Amino acid sequence: MGKRSIMISLLIGVLMSGMFVFSCTSIPEIQVLYRLPAPSMGLQGKSVVLKIIDKRADKEFLRPGARRQFKYFSGNLSFAVAKYNEAGFKIGPFDPIAVIKEGFKRRLENDGIRIVSEPAEGVPELQIILEEFSLDFVARQWVASMRYEAKLLKDSRVLANQSISGKAERFKVLRRKGADTAIGDIFTDTLNRLDLVKLFHDAHLLNP
């Protein structure tokens, strides 16, 4: 084999090794698909100020088991939303708290509630106090957990509240599909279990 052939073989080997390393170290994405419920007509025309308060004891989204599976996790989640009985569409990568805010924003708008950016006279404030939002990998299962309290306030006084929590477990399947399913399911379940009509009713903010 001539020197030229040897050089070409070495070059091909280096390129293939580089491609292998790149494929192994590429940044994996965790995908969160939020499936909106059927729209409710009971809150059309209502307005709120939406505020997300991060009260998580552990601010890390990935727990140790999941962190070992996602060694090159960027810290952002690929967020997508699906309207009721429709296919999902990607909104963009967000950090976990921004995903929570975007999800509740979509949920409120789905029920006809207008979100205002600044406090205004007569407009209540909806506080979402996030206590847990995490993904772990234990005993070959993806474990997604979420817990929050929703408070409706007016003039700094709590009028009504609801506490919601949930956990989803999915066995590991090809690559990381089970992780996407687990986090998407728990996100959808906990956000959709918030009974906005009851929250406004308990706060006496609905017309009789």
Side-chain angles (χ1 to χ4, degrees):
M1 182 181 294
K3 290 184 178 180
R4 181 180 176 83
S5 297
I6 294 174
M7 291 297 293
I8 292 173
S9 298
L10 288 172
L11 180 60
I12 292 172
V14 170
L15 288 173
M16 291 182 68
S17 297
M19 290 174 65
F20 176 76
V21 170
F22 177 78
S23 65
C24 290
T25 59
S26 58
I27 298 173
E29 279 192 335
I30 299 176
Q31 300 180 14
V32 182
L33 172 61
Y34 175 39
R35 298 179 298 278
L36 285 161
S40 170
M41 298 295 106
L43 297 172
Q44 292 286 332
K46 294 293 182 182
S47 299
V48 297
V49 176
L50 176 62
K51 186 175 182 180
I52 308 296
I53 301 174
D54 187 3
K55 286 287 186 72
R56 293 175 296 165
D58 188 343
K59 306 296 185 184
E60 293 293 331
F61 173 72
L62 293 184
R63 295 294 187 259
R67 200 176 301 128
R68 286 190 289 270
Q69 298 292 316
F70 288 94
K71 293 180 181 179
Y72 304 100
F73 178 55
S74 68
N76 289 330
L77 304 174
S78 179
F79 187 55
V81 174
K83 294 182 179 180
Y84 185 65
N85 283 340
E86 293 185 16
F89 57 93
K90 184 177 178 180
I91 298 175
F94 299 109
D95 64 70
I97 295 301
V99 167
I100 296 291
K101 184 170 185 177
E102 188 66 28
F104 276 102
K105 176 175 174 284
R106 301 278 173 162
R107 173 69 210 284
L108 293 168
E109 291 173 345
N110 188 65
D111 280 7
I113 300 174
R114 187 171 67 94
I115 299 170
V116 298
S117 57
E118 298 293 335
E121 186 176 354
V123 177
E125 179 178 275
L126 175 61
Q127 290 184 358
I128 302 298
I129 303 169
L130 185 65
E131 297 167 349
E132 185 175 4
F133 184 40
S134 64
L135 178 69
D136 205 349
F137 185 69
V138 181
R140 296 195 60 79
Q141 287 193 99
W142 296 106
V143 181
S145 303
M146 190 166 171
R147 183 174 72 254
Y148 67 89
E149 182 180 12
K151 292 183 178 180
L152 199 58
L153 302 89
K154 196 170 183 181
D155 300 324
S156 301
R157 185 167 61 91
V158 177
L159 303 177
N161 69 298
Q162 292 178 26
S163 294
I164 295 174
S165 64
K167 181 179 289 188
E169 299 179 355
R170 298 291 182 271
F171 280 106
K172 184 178 181 180
V173 291
L174 290 175
R175 296 185 179 180
R176 300 178 177 89
K177 185 177 180 182
D180 297 339
T181 303
I183 199 67
D185 285 352
I186 199 61
F187 193 93
T188 295
D189 175 66
T190 52
L191 263 69
N192 290 356
R193 274 198 285 129
L194 176 61
D195 192 335
L196 290 166
V197 172
K198 185 178 187 302
L199 195 69
F200 274 78
H201 182 271
D202 291 347
H204 303 289
L205 295 176
L206 280 181
N207 296 326

